[in-house]
Amino acid sequence: MSGQSFRLDKGGAIDRSVTLDFTFDGQIFQGHPGDTLASALVANGQRLLGRSFKYHRPRGLYSVGPEEPNAMVELRQGDRREPNTRATQVELYHGLVAQSQNRWPSLKYDIGSVNQIASKFIPAGFYYKTFMWPATWWEKYEFFICRAAGLGTASGQPDPDEYQKMHAHCDILIVGAGPAGLSAARVAGSSGARVILVDEREAPGGWLRFDRSFIEGDPGRDWVRRVMLELSGMDNVRILNRTTAFGYYDHNMVAAVERVQDHVAVPADYVPRQRLWAIRAKRAILATGAIEQPMAFGDNDRPGVMLAGAARAYVNGYGALPGRKAAIFTSNDSGYRTALDLLDVDAGVVTLVDTRPEGAAGPWAQAVKDRGVSVRSGSAVVRAKGAHEVTAVDVMPFAGGRLETIACDMVAVSGGWAPAVHLHSQSGGKLDWDQDAGCFVPGASPQACTSVGACAGRFGLQDCLNQGAEEAARLAQDIMGNPVAYGVPAVQGPDDTARQMIWEIPLGPDKGGKRFVDIQDDVTVEDIQLAHREGYVSVEHLKRYTTLGMGTDQGKTSNMAGLAIMAGLRNLSIPEVGTTKFRPPYTPVAIGALAGQEVGQHYRPLRRTPMDEWHVAQGAKWQDAGLWRRAQYYPQGNETIDDASHREVTATRSGVGLCDVTTLGKIDVQGPDAGEFLNRLYTNGFAKLPVGKARYGLILREDGLAWDDGTTSRLGENHYLMTTTTAHAGPVMTKMEFYLQTVWPDLRVHITSVTEQWAGFSIAGPKARHVLEKLIDIDLGNESFPFMAAADCRFDGCPARLFRISFSGELAYEVNVSADFGLEAWGKTMAAGAEFGIVPYGVESLGTMRIEKGHVAGSEINGQTTADDLGLGKMLSSKKAFIGKAMVNKPGFTDEDRQKLVGLVPVDGKTWIKAGAQLVDDASAPPPMPMLGHVTAIAFSPEMDMPIALALMSGGLKHEGRELDAAFPLKDSSVRVRIVSPHFIDPEGKRMHV
């Protein structure tokens, strides 16, 4: 058990009266309530925390917040193991188990560190250049690349925790509970406006928790407590701690994740581990603060090198000492505050190196000198020394001179502060360059949001308090209609971060050692220089070529330095070089939080047909169809899906089969203009459809492409029943309502979805009539009830509808009965058909029979095909208008070489053709080769005793009889096929009409 040898005797917001045990890499450590995992490891003197992604270099703690690039750990064990979690954001609890990542066999002795030796041979762009040849080796390369990729390892087991989704609305949303955010919340809350305050940490205050600032004569923490006590008494204010606003979306919607139980060992039952919030606000105030930036120098990634603000935070916020002999390297005033705070806890500060000339720091330099610290102005740290941790630094003046080595055990670095503009950018807002502040600041935004405080480039504490209050008062008056009186507390003492020079990020002389810009992804100054030499000078190209900012930290401490270096190489200013787009999420979000309770059977609403329990009793295997589950096949004994489908198809085509078709969309259309409405909707004519008849119809999209098909039956003078595909039932209904309400509001038509009111089943096969004659009260003779007839009837005495429609190509009927009567009607049909050998068949057999018949379905009506492509060109009426008609004759749609529907059979008569296979002349020819089409659907035809397929082929049936290859590159396989008619069985349709 390790002692807390670097824990201060006093100070910090921790409870020293309680001790918490935790483990890191199997070793037991101790901490206290109020600690993070990072601060507890600092207090225990644990320097080495991880290995870098590419070179496996030793890495230590670098920051104190979400910008942390190094201290990525796996938390917990078993099914709750969570990789890539920042130690800086993990609240310590008793029994916490953490493991370091990206190392083997141990953190200290990592075999992957041999990559450092070969680093000269694997610079930026290495993968792009190396794995291009030979191309046939890619699958071999891919295996090793995938093994090397990534950092942590997920558990691979089902997540046992619960997640929840919440929606909230407010007048003013405030993101960030630092000084600017709290000042804004105080004023907004007092106005009576509905306020939501969101902050990612477990306690509010922002940097006031880590600074020794005084407000109204008291420590900043005391002011935070007073404000929070005041806010907690306001019913109109909701406070969400441990909640990260990770995305800003349209219509002023901000998405946030609340970590409800991440800080406990085992989440309580029935309480979510995390909660996803969708917050819609009239106005948003972004008070997200700023992120301290690093500087590039030799071996600046060694454990012991950290941001200066982080060093101050661990001392002031957690009573943990990150080092005993510190060297400070800064380009702005905040480095001096870190030096003074370290000195106040009796930590040694051996030197302060300031890149600015003598006098730039004003009274700060003298205050540090008065404490006995040597201040080296106009100088730079050029290299950190040490293997697994820092032991010394080399310092050199910019003007030249002697290189000086200074012993130390930590380097606190500050290259200035960059406003956290991520949410503003996500909102669609522009970024402006503030030359005085030396950083990008929020510009205009198309949404109702404003930025205040440090995230707006206002780094002084008094400025943060003032701006937060002023903006809240302005918005509250606009929303509530009344002026808001408010006061702003006064800050005592200097504001150290008000002046900085972030745009001058010095590289210093190259005195050996890699100079890292992106510490997580091992991107160096030399990598950026290489990208510049090779022409990758756009910020987007630079990012992708070098992987700058593409790690889990999303470049929070590397993007600005990378831009500055590229600007220098191009002799441009940083704003001329520009910046990449900030995209959500701000920090990684657990997939479980995004899914919420919509997992497993709750992934989406499950719709069951009235006959579902019968299918279950028969051992049906299921297939999802839209929101429904449908029986895919009914295995008997040890039958496979192919065996069962072969049996079901054979029995149906030779005798009779029964299929549940309840899931088809059913829309009741009534009114004096119902016929005219359907006439405009479908490509073919419906205005003159006789009562008692059904007709197959095709609907196009507005761009002229095929969209949906189905049958519509005329049940009365002004009464029609329309059917759609299962998947498009909802969209078709929506489109119909849209046209009735906005395009043709003069039509007297009323439509109602009746999909769930009617149970439906199809009875098909040459003996289908014999079965139904025992149950239906009307004459089913061919003359009395011919093909495409429709009628109301009675099924075993109960009201029903009967349609003579065939999707299988056989003599077939569809029966609709009341949903309440569906199960009983199904059972009576099975009983009536027993003497004829009736079998139930599922969608697998239904698909086989439709392929045999050449009927198109979703894989052919795929949003890219025209009616003519599908062999349905004759259904396009030339005498009337219909949706999409204006586009059907576009030149691209009438090209004879468009891909059109064809049938395929294997030349050898036995080899299966793979779905999705590409049609090419010769699969053995070297690429590139023209792709002539692709396979859309496959089946084994029992009647033809061979595999068959439908495909879309350039030129269609004008190539009938041609042989070519159906190639499937993913499996490096191909089948020689012959183009035939897509109507494999009974092309004249005689069976349907008997």
Side-chain angles (χ1 to χ4, degrees):
M1 183 176 294
S2 176
Q4 300 184 60
S5 56
F6 284 77
R7 178 73 73 185
L8 299 175
D9 293 334
K10 59 182 180 179
I14 57 172
D15 183 1
R16 289 176 175 80
S17 66
V18 178
T19 299
L20 306 175
D21 291 339
F22 69 98
T23 63
F24 177 71
D25 279 356
Q27 184 177 355
I28 299 176
F29 295 94
Q30 292 181 330
H32 302 291
D35 264 325
T36 63
L37 174 59
S39 67
L41 289 171
V42 168
N44 283 272
Q46 184 71 22
R47 290 295 188 91
L48 180 60
L49 299 182
R51 292 279 178 167
S52 68
F53 174 70
K54 185 175 179 181
Y55 300 133
H56 287 247
R57 288 169 65 99
R59 293 288 162 80
L61 196 62
Y62 197 71
S63 74
V64 74
E67 68 274 16
E68 176 58 39
N70 292 339
M72 311 294 293
V73 297
E74 289 180 5
L75 285 185
R76 307 178 184 87
Q77 295 175 313
D79 54 7
R80 284 196 167 92
R81 184 170 66 188
E82 180 182 2
N84 297 326
T85 306
R86 289 166 178 75
T88 53
Q89 293 187 290
V90 177
E91 293 180 59
L92 194 68
Y93 56 81
H94 188 74
L96 182 147
V97 176
Q99 295 280 340
S100 57
Q101 300 183 154
N102 201 39
R103 82 291 185 276
W104 185 84
S106 69
L107 180 57
K108 188 171 184 179
Y109 302 104
D110 176 23
I111 197 170
S113 62
V114 298
N115 286 358
Q116 298 179 62
I117 301 173
S119 61
K120 291 184 178 180
F121 303 101
I122 49 176
F126 163 72
Y127 295 105
Y128 305 118
K129 300 172 184 176
T130 305
F131 300 113
M132 299 294 290
W133 181 90
T136 55
W137 285 22
W138 172 248
E139 290 190 6
K140 298 181 178 65
Y141 297 147
E142 185 181 28
F143 174 79
F144 292 103
I145 292 172
C146 290
R147 289 291 297 272
L151 293 172
T153 304
S155 71
Q157 302 177 42
D159 189 339
D161 294 323
E162 297 287 335
Y163 300 87
Q164 192 178 73
K165 292 183 179 181
M166 295 288 286
H167 294 263
H169 296 77
C170 62
D171 295 318
I172 299 176
L173 167 67
I174 302 170
V175 181
L182 288 177
S183 183
R186 187 184 196 183
V187 173
S190 66
S191 74
R194 294 174 302 158
V195 178
I196 295 179
L197 175 63
V198 171
D199 190 78
E200 66 184 347
R201 294 188 180 273
E202 71 282 1
W207 275 96
L208 288 176
R209 300 174 60 202
F210 306 136
D211 264 342
R212 300 185 179 186
S213 302
F214 285 82
I215 301 176
E216 295 180 335
D218 295 323
R221 289 180 187 171
D222 292 344
W223 178 81
V224 171
R225 293 190 190 98
R226 290 199 301 271
V227 172
M228 290 306 297
L229 184 62
E230 188 177 342
L231 293 175
S232 64
M234 298 179 182
D235 294 337
N236 58 312
V237 177
R238 170 181 277 168
I239 301 170
L240 297 176
N241 292 325
R242 298 187 177 95
T243 304
T244 300
F246 67 83
Y248 204 130
Y249 301 94
D250 292 343
H251 309 295
N252 241 42
M253 196 277 276
V254 174
V257 168
E258 180 184 5
R259 298 178 297 280
V260 181
Q261 293 198 92
D262 277 6
H263 58 293
V264 297
V266 180
D269 292 340
Y270 310 112
V271 178
R273 177 189 162 196
Q274 295 182 355
R275 183 179 289 126
L276 179 68
W277 287 87
I279 304 172
R280 291 169 172 83
K282 290 182 179 178
R283 302 287 192 276
I285 296 177
L286 305 180
T288 50
I291 299 171
E292 196 166 19
Q293 299 298 292
M295 291 194 281
F297 53 90
D299 292 330
N300 61 326
D301 63 325
R302 292 301 188 204
V305 178
M306 69 167 49
L307 296 174
R312 187 160 80 244
Y314 287 115
V315 168
N316 296 333
Y318 300 104
L321 194 60
R324 301 189 189 280
K325 295 174 62 179
I328 312 292
F329 182 27
T330 187
S331 67
N332 63 91
D333 293 353
S334 63
Y336 291 83
R337 172 63 67 86
T338 296
L340 292 172
D341 284 0
L342 290 174
L343 291 168
D344 285 345
V345 294
D346 296 328
V349 178
V350 295
T351 187
L352 190 148
V353 182
D354 193 338
T355 62
R356 299 173 297 177
E358 183 75 31
W364 286 105
Q366 191 58 51
V368 172
K369 290 177 182 178
D370 289 345
R371 302 289 291 271
V373 177
S374 171
V375 175
R376 292 169 168 82
S377 300
S379 301
V381 171
V382 296
R383 188 175 187 183
K385 294 188 173 182
H388 287 98
E389 58 183 82
V390 170
T391 58
V393 291
D394 288 340
V395 179
M396 177 180 282
F398 281 113
R402 183 173 61 88
L403 183 72
E404 185 177 1
T405 300
I406 302 172
C408 61
D409 63 358
M410 70 169 290
V411 185
V413 179
S414 180
W417 296 79
V421 296
H422 303 70
L423 290 178
H424 171 83
S425 182
Q426 292 172 20
S427 76
K430 303 298 183 182
L431 298 180
D432 298 330
W433 179 257
D434 187 326
Q435 185 67 22
D436 293 332
C439 55
F440 283 105
V441 296
S445 173
Q447 303 208 55
C449 70
T450 50
S451 298
V452 297
C455 73
R458 306 285 285 273
F459 298 108
L461 178 54
Q462 189 68 64
D463 282 347
C464 290
L465 296 171
N466 293 344
Q467 192 180 28
E470 290 167 4
E471 184 60 24
R474 184 183 71 83
L475 295 182
Q477 180 174 348
D478 183 48
I479 295 170
M480 305 302 293
N482 298 311
V484 179
Y486 66 92
V488 181
V491 175
Q492 287 76 45
D495 282 344
D496 59 315
T497 56
R499 295 184 294 124
Q500 59 175 334
M501 297 178 67
I502 190 174
W503 66 90
E504 292 185 4
I505 298 184
L507 303 183
D510 185 358
K511 293 296 181 180
K514 289 186 176 296
R515 298 175 292 174
F516 287 93
V517 180
D518 188 322
I519 295 182
Q520 184 174 98
D521 284 344
D522 284 335
V523 179
T524 65
V525 173
E526 291 72 24
D527 289 329
I528 297 175
Q529 292 169 340
L530 176 62
H532 177 260
R533 290 197 302 272
E534 297 193 355
Y536 293 94
V537 295
S538 160
V539 291
E540 297 291 352
H541 292 163
L542 170 66
K543 175 178 179 178
R544 284 151 183 82
Y545 186 72
T546 64
T547 69
L548 177 72
M550 292 179 68
T552 60
D553 62 334
Q554 290 292 287
K556 292 180 176 65
T557 59
S558 61
N559 283 341
M560 283 301 300
L563 296 176
I565 294 168
M566 180 57 76
L569 293 170
R570 297 180 62 188
N571 293 317
L572 298 173
S573 65
I574 291 179
E576 289 176 312
V577 171
T579 182
T580 55
K581 178 73 174 177
F582 295 98
R583 298 180 177 89
Y586 173 68
T587 53
V589 177
I591 294 176
L594 297 177
Q597 295 175 321
E598 298 161 14
V599 295
Q601 292 188 351
H602 302 289
Y603 169 61
R604 54 186 177 184
L606 180 62
R607 302 173 77 177
R608 297 178 172 89
T609 74
M611 291 78 89
D612 185 87
E613 64 181 78
W614 190 94
H615 304 319
V616 171
Q618 297 301 310
K621 301 299 181 183
W622 301 103
Q623 176 177 308
D624 289 338
L627 295 178
W628 297 86
R629 73 172 185 179
R630 298 187 68 180
Q632 186 179 18
Y633 63 102
Y634 301 86
Q636 294 183 0
N638 295 322
E639 281 184 335
T640 65
I641 183 173
D642 293 332
D643 296 335
S645 179
H646 191 288
R647 174 181 52 78
E648 292 170 9
V649 170
T650 300
T652 301
R653 291 211 183 278
S654 62
V656 61
L658 191 65
C659 182
D660 187 348
V661 295
T662 302
T663 64
L664 294 178
K666 294 179 276 295
I667 301 173
D668 194 275
V669 184
Q670 298 189 40
D673 297 322
E676 175 60 22
F677 173 55
L678 293 169
N679 214 37
R680 299 180 187 183
L681 192 68
Y682 283 116
T683 63
N684 48 327
F686 275 80
K688 297 181 180 180
L689 179 67
V691 174
K693 288 292 185 179
R695 182 167 292 167
Y696 175 71
L698 178 68
I699 303 176
L700 304 184
R701 297 190 322 208
E702 286 77 0
D703 59 5
L705 293 172
W707 186 52
D708 196 68
D709 66 342
T711 60
T712 291
S713 305
R714 190 169 188 178
L715 304 177
E717 185 64 26
N718 298 322
H719 187 190
Y720 297 78
L721 182 69
M722 177 181 181
T723 66
T724 73
T725 59
T726 297
H728 272 172
V732 169
M733 181 72 180
T734 300
K735 181 183 285 287
M736 293 170 70
E737 288 184 328
F738 169 79
Y739 272 87
L740 283 174
Q741 293 180 31
T742 65
V743 183
W744 306 314
D746 56 309
L747 293 182
R748 295 166 298 169
V749 179
H750 184 76
I751 60 174
T752 305
S753 173
V754 294
T755 300
E756 295 180 341
Q757 279 65 44
W758 293 93
F761 51 86
S762 173
I763 180 167
K767 299 178 182 179
R769 182 180 290 122
H770 300 308
V771 177
L772 280 184
E773 283 176 337
K774 301 168 67 174
L775 300 165
I776 298 291
D777 68 342
I778 62 176
D779 185 358
L780 300 183
N782 209 28
E783 292 185 2
S784 302
F785 202 75
F787 181 64
M788 298 304 283
D792 288 319
C793 63
R794 299 190 76 81
F795 181 100
D796 196 34
C798 293
R801 288 172 177 170
L802 183 66
F803 312 91
R804 188 169 170 188
I805 298 168
S806 178
F807 194 56
S808 62
E810 300 293 334
L811 168 66
Y813 303 84
E814 287 187 12
V815 180
N816 281 3
V817 297
S818 168
D820 293 341
F821 184 53
L823 180 59
E824 185 176 349
W826 177 276
K828 289 178 180 294
T829 305
M830 288 296 297
E835 66 176 290
F836 304 106
I838 192 170
V839 299
Y841 65 92
V843 292
E844 187 71 23
S845 299
L846 184 67
T848 296
M849 289 187 281
R850 77 95 179 170
I851 294 170
E852 290 179 321
K853 186 60 181 172
H855 287 153
V856 294
S859 54
E860 291 80 38
I861 308 178
N862 60 7
Q864 298 175 307
T865 51
T866 67
D868 192 55
D869 296 339
L870 303 174
L872 303 176
K874 293 182 179 180
M875 295 181 64
L876 301 179
S877 174
S878 60
K879 299 179 180 179
K880 69 179 183 73
F882 53 84
I883 295 173
K885 182 174 183 177
M887 308 297 285
V888 297
N889 291 318
K890 290 193 301 185
F893 285 2
T894 57
D895 186 348
E896 290 186 357
D897 290 327
R898 279 185 63 86
Q899 293 185 3
K900 300 176 185 294
L901 186 69
V902 298
L904 300 176
V905 294
V907 172
D908 64 8
K910 60 181 181 181
T911 304
W912 277 77
I913 305 166
K914 293 188 180 297
Q918 295 293 314
L919 301 181
V920 296
D921 276 321
D922 184 0
S924 64
M929 64 185 72
M931 300 296 173
L932 305 176
H934 68 278
V935 177
T936 61
I938 62 171
F940 184 89
S941 170
E943 189 159 330
M944 298 183 67
D945 195 28
M946 70 165 63
I948 59 174
L950 295 179
L952 293 171
M953 167 71 184
S954 178
L957 284 176
K958 72 179 183 180
H959 297 292
E960 189 171 4
R962 177 178 172 181
E963 294 185 3
L964 64 165
D965 286 340
F968 197 73
L970 293 178
K971 296 296 183 181
D972 194 23
S973 64
S974 66
V975 181
R976 196 69 178 171
V977 297
R978 182 181 301 111
I979 296 176
V980 299
S981 168
H983 309 297
F984 297 94
I985 292 176
D986 188 26
E988 298 84 9
K990 294 180 180 179
R991 299 183 187 180
M992 296 185 293
H993 293 81
V994 296

